[in-house]
Amino acid sequence: MDTDAIETPRAPLFRSAARRRRRRLLGSLAAAGLLSACGTQTSSGVAAVPDEATSRPSGLTVTPDTAAPTAPAVCPDSGVLLRAAEANAAMGLREQQIELVNCGRRVYTVNGHPSVQVLDADLEPLEVTVGHGASGIATVDGFETATGPVRLKPGERAVMRLLWRNLVTDTTRPAADGRYLRIAPNGDGRDAQTVPDHVDLGTTGKLGVSAWARPAPDRPAPDRPGADRPDAGS
């Protein structure tokens, strides 16, 4: 039997199959590369963004807040980005700062109280009474400090605060455990964003919201012990 007559026609078939496998592999790698290079949008509407640097407007640097949880880093079409800082907790009382950054190219103005809605892990609204100020929750000095509109140039920030108690006072109702906040900066529903956040309201069902204000200036650390006292050096 002539073995060459049997083996010769098989070689092109194997090479063709190998080429098809290589093409499929290269196609899969290319698709994976495209997916990793672009920001994606989940079905819930919360953006998942791989790289903040690739999505900033040219010439604008937004300094990240190291205390903020993971949040969309891409600048939305509205030109503003919302993010939540870590909540301060004491004896069941929670106070948290929400920051708005003008990441766009135009002036953006916020005025008064934002619209805030607490959502669960499935992005469904929870039964929460949202009020202006700290009334009915606690007495907190300086919680409501804003007196008018805050005009933000590109790169500038505004802050507002949330206040709530983590208490279980009614065992007949489930505790409200918020995992997201739906925030419209000016309370009119426009430019709303969904911000990842943990708002553990217990069964109190109340959330206090302050008006927008400019961030308090950071107090510089003294150069030496006693340098910040009025009588230092006397």
Side-chain angles (χ1 to χ4, degrees):
M1 180 181 294
D2 189 352
T3 56
D4 289 340
I6 297 175
E7 298 296 333
T8 300
R10 291 187 179 180
L13 177 61
F14 291 149
R15 286 196 296 269
S16 177
R19 282 196 296 271
R20 287 198 296 271
R21 285 196 296 271
R22 283 197 296 271
R23 284 198 296 268
R24 286 197 296 268
L25 177 59
L26 290 174
S28 299
L29 291 175
L34 288 173
L35 287 176
S36 62
C38 302
T40 59
Q41 186 84 5
T42 68
S43 60
S44 64
V46 181
V49 182
D51 189 357
E52 179 180 2
T54 61
S55 54
R56 289 187 193 136
S58 176
L60 174 62
T61 300
V62 177
T63 303
D65 185 346
T66 56
T70 301
V74 66
C75 188
D77 292 340
S78 62
V80 294
L81 180 65
L82 291 163
R83 55 194 181 190
E86 185 177 355
N88 295 320
M91 299 297 290
L93 183 66
R94 308 281 198 261
E95 183 176 2
Q96 184 180 45
Q97 181 170 285
I98 304 294
E99 181 181 67
L100 180 148
V101 183
N102 183 350
C103 56
R105 300 178 183 278
R106 300 178 180 178
V107 170
Y108 192 90
T109 301
V110 287
N111 189 12
H113 299 80
S115 171
V116 179
Q117 190 175 35
V118 184
L119 311 178
D120 65 13
D122 297 320
L123 296 173
E124 293 295 330
L126 294 172
E127 292 185 11
V128 176
T129 300
V130 179
H132 294 173
S135 177
I137 300 174
T139 301
V140 179
D141 292 338
F143 183 80
E144 192 72 270
T145 57
T147 58
V150 181
R151 187 173 182 270
L152 302 173
K153 298 177 182 178
E156 292 186 333
R157 302 176 296 147
V159 296
M160 62 91 167
R161 292 191 288 172
L162 304 177
L163 189 72
W164 73 92
R165 287 192 179 277
N166 172 234
L167 296 175
V168 176
T169 58
D170 184 355
T171 57
T172 63
R173 59 182 295 183
D177 191 36
R179 295 292 173 166
Y180 296 90
L181 293 173
R182 185 69 175 168
I183 303 174
N186 281 305
D188 53 9
R190 294 183 302 168
D191 303 335
Q193 293 179 34
T194 302
V195 180
D197 195 14
H198 188 201
V199 183
D200 52 347
L201 292 161
T203 59
T204 60
K206 292 182 179 180
L207 179 69
V209 179
S210 79
W212 291 107
R214 291 192 179 275
D218 295 330
R219 185 181 182 185
D223 295 332
R224 59 186 186 281
D228 59 341
R229 295 201 308 268
D231 58 347
S234 59

